[in-house]
Amino acid sequence: MARVLLKRPKKLALIVGLCLLIGISLHASIVGVIGFRVAQFALSAKENALAGDFDFAAADLSDCIMYLDRFKIVAAPYRIFNGLPGIGLQVRAGFDLVDAAIIVARVSQEGLALGQRLSEAGAIPNQQSRGSHQKAKIDTQKIMQHVLQELPRFSGQRALVRLAQSRLDRYRTDRLVFPLSSLAQLLKDTVSSLADITDRAAPFVEVAPMLFGYPSERQYLFLFQNNTEVRATGGFIGSYGIVKIKNGSLVSLTTENVSTLDKAAPESFFIAPPKPIAETFPGTRGWFFRDSNWSPDFPESAKRALWFYAQESGRKEIFDGVIAITPDLIDDLLEITGPQTVEGIPFRSGSFAADLEYEVEKGYRARGIPGPDRKKIIGSILEQLIKQIQTLGPQALGGVVQVVRKNLDEKQVLLYFSDPSAQRVGTQLGWSGEMKSVDGDSLMVVDSNMASLKTDAVIQRSISYRLIEQEGGRFIARVELAYTHTGRFDWKTTYYRNYVRVYVPAGSFLLRSHGFGDRAKKISDEPSIDLLDEHGKLGFGGFLVVDPGTTKRVSLEYALPDRLNAKIAQGVYTFFVQKQSGLSNQTVDAQWSFARPVRGFAPQEGVIKKSSHELSASTRLYTDQSFQVNL
């Protein structure tokens, strides 16, 4: 009898265990089905959004959020395992991943709502416009209204994205089981992209209405900087103009030859020019608008341009800022719009700068255009190009936005705003062309073509940087600049006379230099070097000359300041290379040698670890570059 009683509890326990196992399996299956439905709706939302069907995409996201909330409810019993080692980590990660996914879905919903409103205004294509052969009419005023309305929402969306990042940062994907590890990586990549979008879009949304003249008209001083004749902020100001914008549309654009303005200056007007300008143009009447962009800091040069304009013109006009562009922007836009014929002259992508240069230097005579009016064609080109862009369909217009963004990021377009709050946003976006101050090692090389025609079009330039740690933690830096003249003497090319400025950390000490010197002075081995104290940096300035078919090298060697030596001794070295505005052919080869082993570095791409103590990197300066080494 006792044996029977003992067997029954064992059978009962077995039955209960089997039922529990079956229940858990069924429950897990339900959780899995819900997870599968979430994935289905997320994928459908993405496909509908890409197709321009924003209503269906928004509905998919709503269903996705509903199933994610249901997932949390159904999976709630698994929270009892939170405190257990191993499985507890997986459970906690699962719920945090679900919370992050809900945030991603809600932020995406806001983006879809904006997309729907912009598609109604014709800014981006929707399903109806994609299937139609007719171009959607773009309502720029409505677009500006929607952009302004988004401003309050962006701060909330940025906060949500940061919350999702904080949830995801708790977990290393290599410690999670499949499929949690795959989901975590996917969410991390998605949230990182959203963070980049919201961080960059929020300040742009803040400044866009003012930039594009909403709700009131804006007036800007326009500078056309020819980067085949390089100057500090991009190129020689051969033409200037006044542009008026309202509700995202061009109201008017007038351009003039810069010589017309400078010659109109009163005889009594005199401002002593910077020393290099005075030495290059002896006997000059002084400093004028055409050379107002002498400082590599664009906000400083923009303010000076506004001042010169007021003094020379005698007009008391109010400007909301300064917009400067190089021919690179127009060349890129022509690739989207196709060739444009202006005043009977075809202009196309790939040869715009050369075609324009011929017209304003040679071709205008054959057309009987007076010399002072030869550069007015620039205004006509811009006006026709803008009108052409305004007739483009939404898809092509998206390409225009990408081109403008690219040229802003690469400093072929610079913006200065008279309003301090708008200027702060421009600086935050990296579009204001200011000389940046950093708490670490830094380098900026600035070229200025001094009476060398348009020779920069045939100049190849490279920067070599070498940093060596000596005994006692002292760091010696060596910069070598190489300029190769690939052209020959003709109507637009001559020997290259360049005033170069090399900006390094303040407090550095020059040890030696070689290669600088004026051609007329036969280039001595120990030429005079200008020491410049500008924008919190130490600058070394000097002339160099390159004949056609030759390469010229100049070098500087200097000791980093003690404050940087002490900072590096703490285990972190940083290096910031700032690109000169207007250039696209600066290359940098850097090498660093440390007394201690290198523990880590960033970025990983493009940096080579030559030994345990040495690193090297090579890059083309389309944008500013930053490096960090952990010792």
Side-chain angles (χ1 to χ4, degrees), residues 139-194:
D139 189 337
T140 54
Q141 183 172 353
K142 186 173 287 187
I143 291 172
M144 290 297 103
Q145 289 175 343
H146 291 323
V147 169
L148 195 61
Q149 289 169 1
E150 281 301 307
L151 188 57
R153 295 189 181 97
F154 259 101
S155 58
Q157 290 176 5
R158 293 172 80 186
L160 283 173
V161 171
R162 288 194 178 94
L163 176 61
Q165 278 185 313
S166 67
R167 293 284 179 90
L168 295 171
D169 287 343
R170 297 174 183 174
Y171 306 100
R172 286 172 42 184
T173 54
D174 60 353
R175 296 184 62 188
L176 300 179
V177 298
F178 182 83
L180 289 182
S181 58
S182 298
L183 178 59
Q185 190 59 55
L186 174 63
L187 284 172
K188 283 187 176 185
D189 293 342
T190 303
V191 170
S192 178
S193 298
L194 284 174

Side-chain angles (χ1 to χ4, degrees), residues 334 338-348 377 380-381 384-385:
L334 286 172
Q340 300 292 308
T341 299
V342 181
E343 298 180 14
I345 304 166
F347 294 97
R348 56 182 59 84
I377 192 173
S380 300
I381 294 169
Q384 179 169 312
L385 192 61

Side-chain angles (χ1 to χ4, degrees), residues 248-433:
S249 297
L250 178 69
V251 175
S252 65
L253 171 63
T254 59
T255 59
E256 289 286 349
N257 189 330
V258 70
S259 298
T260 303
L261 177 63
D262 290 343
K263 290 177 180 178
E267 286 292 330
S268 59
F269 178 74
F270 177 81
I271 301 295
K275 178 184 172 185
I277 296 178
E279 290 182 357
T280 304
F281 306 99
T284 182
R285 278 183 54 203
W287 195 3
F288 290 93
F289 181 87
R290 61 177 175 266
D291 294 319
S292 58
N293 61 343
W294 181 253
S295 170
D297 184 80
F298 184 68
E300 179 180 321
S301 286
K303 293 175 188 176
R304 186 169 286 126
L306 290 169
W307 184 86
F308 271 112
Y309 175 83
Q311 298 301 313
E312 294 182 27
S313 69
R315 300 171 189 162
K316 296 181 179 179
E317 296 191 60
I318 297 176
F319 289 98
D320 295 292
V322 180
I323 300 174
I325 72 168
T326 71
D328 288 37
L329 172 65
I330 300 177
D331 198 286
D332 288 345
L333 290 173
L334 286 172
E335 191 171 351
I336 295 176
T337 65
Q340 300 292 308
T341 299
V342 181
E343 298 180 14
I345 304 166
F347 294 97
R348 56 182 59 84
S349 178
S351 63
F352 171 73
D355 293 341
L356 178 63
E357 190 61 37
Y358 177 82
E359 177 55 33
V360 300
E361 295 294 339
K362 296 274 190 180
Y364 74 94
R365 294 191 183 95
R367 298 195 299 123
I369 304 296
D373 297 335
R374 61 194 172 97
K375 294 185 179 180
K376 286 188 176 181
I377 192 173
I378 296 174
S380 300
I381 294 169
L382 287 169
E383 191 168 6
Q384 179 169 312
L385 192 61
I386 292 171
K387 288 180 180 178
Q388 176 71 26
I389 288 171
Q390 290 177 332
T391 66
L392 295 175
Q395 288 177 292
L397 193 60
V400 171
V401 172
Q402 290 180 348
V403 162
V404 174
R405 166 73 179 273
K406 167 183 172 288
N407 280 267
L408 281 163
D409 290 342
E410 296 181 1
K411 302 183 186 180
Q412 304 296 344
V413 178
L414 299 174
L415 305 175
Y416 168 74
F417 298 101
S418 301
D419 179 79
S421 60
Q423 179 60 20
R424 281 194 296 272
V425 174
T427 299
Q428 182 180 347
L429 289 166
W431 296 345
S432 61

